Amino acid sequence: MKIRSAVAVSAAFLLAACGGGGQIGDSNSGGSAANKKLVLIPGITAEPFYISMQCGFEEAAKAAGYEFDTQAPAKFDAAQQTPIVTGILASKPAAVLIAPTDDKAMAGPMKQLKDAGIKVVEVDTKLQDTSIGVSSISSDNEQGGKLAAETLNKLTAGKSGSVLVLNTKAGTSTTDARAKGFEDAIKAYPNLKYIGQQYTDNEPATAASKVTATLAANPDLIGVFATNLNSGEGAATGLRNAGKTGAVNLVGFDASPKQVEDLQAGIVQALIAQDPATIGKQGVEQALAAIDGKENKRNIETELVAITKDDAAANSKYFYKKSC
Ligand code: T6T
């Protein structure tokens, strides 16, 4: 299973659409009509959350007898995701499952898909405009942020100190909802002084430097909630670099192999894991319903679970994959 570069796959798509034939990307191109094709556009390439989602997507597409392909941007960025979307238009797949990297900026390109008769299913993230996608499948992200606050309260066990949230990029519907859920829930714990959220641009190095700077300005830092995979991996690095492993409670979101390794090493104290494979599978189900003219479920929320070192082995089914 590989995620090809967008340029190579788009050119191949165009060839195929014009009868150029040949294998495309990861599609199984079993010779069925061009419109029996589903395309997944994740938020970023080579990232365990979206790879796990792709595994579920491909399993469900194969079971339904559909060709499939995945095209992802190198960065979680609307300027990079937009040409992937417009490049797919010509090949006219039956449906596109997409994690929009900006809840407003991606509305235009995604509306082009809809206007071309291509069914659009939002997986993970979603647009503010609810008129474009036929269905949105994601975790209950606000609840996930609340769960992170409750978990941090348990970990700090009544001790007092400052608490930081690391968000990714404004306009990422999922991490914005997680930060909101956390901010609302942390008010219940007066011993935990919320000092606000900082943005990491979804870059681990930025997350690490934000933690180091916050520690210098707030020596009483007792907790960090990192709202996604890259921010969490970076925050762990920041705490390790500052020699604060275990002294500051780190609650991460997601469960990449690196995050699980840091959990078992005591650098991370808890992970809020999602179920990306089910998001991918449910996305295919909703795409097929739309293609077949059946009713869609507009919003579907998938499972979340808080994992600590003590119960990690029992929850290994939630660990993300680096390959299918
Ligand atoms: O946390 C996931 C995803 O849910 C979010 O929308 C963006 O970040 C991740 O992909 C992890 O990097």
Side-chain angles (χ1 to χ4, degrees):
M1 183 277 306
K2 296 176 296 302
I3 297 178
R4 302 290 181 82
S5 72
V7 174
V9 174
S10 299
F13 255 124
L14 284 169
L15 270 175
C18 307
Q23 293 289 328
I24 298 169
D26 289 316
S27 47
N28 63 358
S29 58
S32 56
N35 64 0
K36 278 203 76 170
K37 183 170 289 185
L38 304 176
V39 177
L40 172 65
I41 305 177
I44 187 171
T45 189
E47 195 262 29
F49 172 83
Y50 288 119
I51 289 170
S52 303
M53 180 191 287
Q54 183 179 345
C55 296
F57 160 73
E58 292 185 349
E59 183 185 325
K62 275 179 201 157
Y66 269 71
E67 297 174 44
F68 54 84
D69 186 45
T70 296
Q71 295 184 41
K75 280 189 72 176
F76 194 97
D77 177 74
Q80 292 197 20
Q81 195 177 43
T82 295
I84 293 174
V85 173
T86 51
I88 281 167
L89 276 168
S91 61
K92 217 167 166 355
V96 167
L97 286 67
I98 181 170
T101 49
D102 185 291
D103 59 9
K104 291 190 287 291
M106 289 308 298
M110 289 165 67
K111 189 174 183 307
Q112 289 183 52
L113 294 171
K114 180 188 176 190
D115 294 346
I118 299 167
K119 304 300 180 189
V120 178
V121 176
E122 294 168 325
V123 285
D124 181 44
T125 51
K126 59 185 174 185
L127 298 173
Q128 290 188 19
D129 181 343
T130 57
S131 69
I132 297 170
V134 295
S135 181
S136 304
I137 302 104
S138 74
S139 303
D140 179 346
N141 288 293
E142 198 161 321
Q143 176 57 33
K146 181 171 180 290
L147 180 57
E150 292 165 353
T151 304
L152 188 58
N153 175 56
K154 283 182 193 154
L155 289 165
T156 49
K159 294 191 200 82
S160 296
S162 298
V163 170
L164 166 73
V165 166
L166 291 177
N167 197 342
T168 58
K169 300 172 80 161
T172 306
S173 62
T174 48
T175 53
D176 285 345
R178 293 166 198 168
K180 181 182 183 307
F182 183 92
E183 285 180 343
D184 292 346
I186 204 72
K187 292 170 186 166
Y189 313 117
N191 55 308
L192 300 178
K193 185 179 70 171
Y194 177 52
I195 56 175
Q197 60 179 307
Q198 296 194 30
Y199 290 92
T200 67
D201 200 27
N202 201 38
E203 295 291 344
T206 306
S209 63
K210 295 287 185 186
V211 166
T212 309
T214 302
L215 273 165
N218 304 272
D220 71 337
L221 189 70
I222 193 172
V224 175
F225 170 41
T227 61
N228 88 321
L229 189 154
N230 282 352
S231 303
E233 290 185 358
T237 301
L239 290 174
R240 201 175 18 238
N241 292 347
K244 289 288 183 182
T245 298
V248 176
N249 293 279
L250 174 53
V251 177
F253 215 96
D254 293 309
S256 70
K258 179 74 176 67
Q259 287 178 287
V260 171
E261 187 185 306
D262 287 342
L263 180 72
Q264 287 163 336
I267 299 164
V268 173
Q269 280 62 50
L271 295 173
I272 311 296
Q274 306 185 72
D275 185 357
T278 299
I279 294 174
K281 287 176 186 167
Q282 296 262 6
V284 170
E285 272 181 44
Q286 291 303 309
L288 298 183
I291 292 162
D292 297 341
K294 294 178 183 150
E295 191 179 354
N296 279 106
K297 198 166 178 202
R298 187 63 192 80
N299 284 293
I300 297 172
E301 289 178 338
T302 51
E303 205 179 5
L304 283 169
V305 62
I307 302 174
T308 62
K309 183 177 179 180
D310 295 342
D311 58 26
N315 287 299
S316 60
K317 71 173 181 176
Y318 294 103
F319 297 170
Y320 301 174
K321 299 178 177 176
K322 278 190 166 177
S323 69
C324 296

